[in-house]
Amino acid sequence: MKRVLEPELMTERAQARAYAEADFPEPHSRYVALLLEKFPDLPPRGRALDLGCGPGDVTRRFARACPGYEIVAVDGSPAMLREARRLTQPWPDLRARIRYRLGRLPGARLPRGPYDVILATSFLHHLADPMVLWNAVRQYGGTGTVVMVADLRRPRTVQEARRLTERYAAGAPEVLRRDFYRSLLAAFTPAEVSAQLRAAGLGGFTVEVISDRHLFVSGRLNE
């Protein structure tokens, strides 16, 4: 099945609220757990950059798991960032350590790196040009930067995409069912991501299939 692009930005207020109120504890918690499992020597203190943070669920999970980190979380959607700030508001410690920034790659104006950790979850499939993400990893990382990219992976057929949508989004609001299906069609295969990494000079990174709908990329820069 060929890739079908979807809009890069989720700018509708109702759409952003639906994502903010959605419950994704299993995959989002697993992303952070896998990161810490693969990099047990992660420095206890540092700076992290979250690219395409959306409503900030993974941002906050990482912040709780790594209390010594200050985090810059960027997204191109004002609606998503409003939800991210709203959900962070009740937590003074998180408010003090997470800075949400409006910006769209590759032109976003962000605090200069290098960052110790770079995260991107459910962001890659939104990009018409995937090299935008991998170039940003290069731009804001440095020697030893830990990188984690978690995303959907494209099914082999439209029928499989519909089956996955029915299995995992049957009870979700219509906007989430619609977007999940479109995102599956827009996602990359593991082989495509591996080719992107080689083109970006990141061939040492690993690409793993971690579920029937997710892939996980991890590595350190310049290793």
Side-chain angles (χ1 to χ4, degrees):
M1 179 176 66
K2 292 184 178 181
R3 185 182 184 222
V4 180
L5 294 179
E6 67 173 351
E8 287 195 7
L9 297 180
M10 295 182 175
T11 57
E12 300 171 16
R13 180 170 296 184
Q15 186 181 34
R17 178 58 61 96
Y19 275 88
E21 294 179 350
D23 193 15
F24 303 114
E26 191 276 327
H28 289 183
S29 294
R30 191 178 183 198
Y31 298 158
V32 176
L34 280 172
L35 172 69
L36 299 179
E37 176 185 313
K38 291 178 178 298
F39 302 100
D41 58 343
L42 195 70
R45 307 185 69 83
R47 299 167 68 225
L49 175 64
D50 189 354
L51 299 171
C53 67
D57 186 50
V58 175
T59 315
R60 291 184 294 275
R61 290 177 188 271
F62 174 82
R64 293 188 186 101
C66 300
Y69 276 73
E70 295 185 353
I71 305 161
V72 174
V74 59
D75 200 275
S77 167
M80 284 292 186
L81 290 181
R82 279 194 296 270
E83 294 300 324
R85 293 186 177 104
R86 178 180 67 84
L87 293 170
T88 305
Q89 184 63 29
W91 309 95
D93 175 61
L94 300 186
R95 288 204 315 270
R97 292 190 291 118
I98 300 173
R99 288 181 290 166
Y100 293 106
R101 298 289 292 265
L102 179 65
R104 185 174 182 178
L105 296 175
R109 298 180 64 181
L110 301 175
R112 185 172 300 179
Y115 290 84
D116 300 286
V117 177
I118 297 178
L119 313 170
T121 57
S122 299
F123 177 51
L124 180 62
H125 71 266
H126 283 286
L127 298 171
D129 179 6
M131 299 311 291
V132 166
L133 172 58
W134 306 120
N135 290 339
V137 166
R138 284 288 192 194
Q139 179 181 357
Y140 292 104
T143 301
T145 295
V146 167
V147 179
M148 181 203 84
V149 174
D151 214 291
L152 294 172
R153 61 187 181 95
R154 191 168 76 250
R156 293 182 179 180
T157 66
V158 169
Q159 291 75 19
E160 186 178 355
R162 289 174 178 156
R163 179 182 63 80
L164 290 169
T165 302
E166 287 304 311
R167 180 174 181 181
Y168 294 108
E174 174 57 30
V175 64
L176 293 185
R177 292 198 301 272
R178 179 201 70 188
D179 285 357
F180 182 62
Y181 175 72
R182 290 178 177 177
S183 293
L184 287 169
L185 301 186
F188 295 97
T189 67
E192 289 169 343
V193 175
S194 294
Q196 295 165 17
L197 292 168
R198 289 192 296 271
L202 301 171
F205 283 28
T206 60
V207 182
E208 304 171 71
V209 172
I210 60 170
S211 80
D212 58 358
R213 62 204 186 281
H214 295 114
L215 56 79
F216 189 89
V217 182
S218 61
R220 286 186 190 270
L221 286 179
N222 301 323
E223 288 193 353

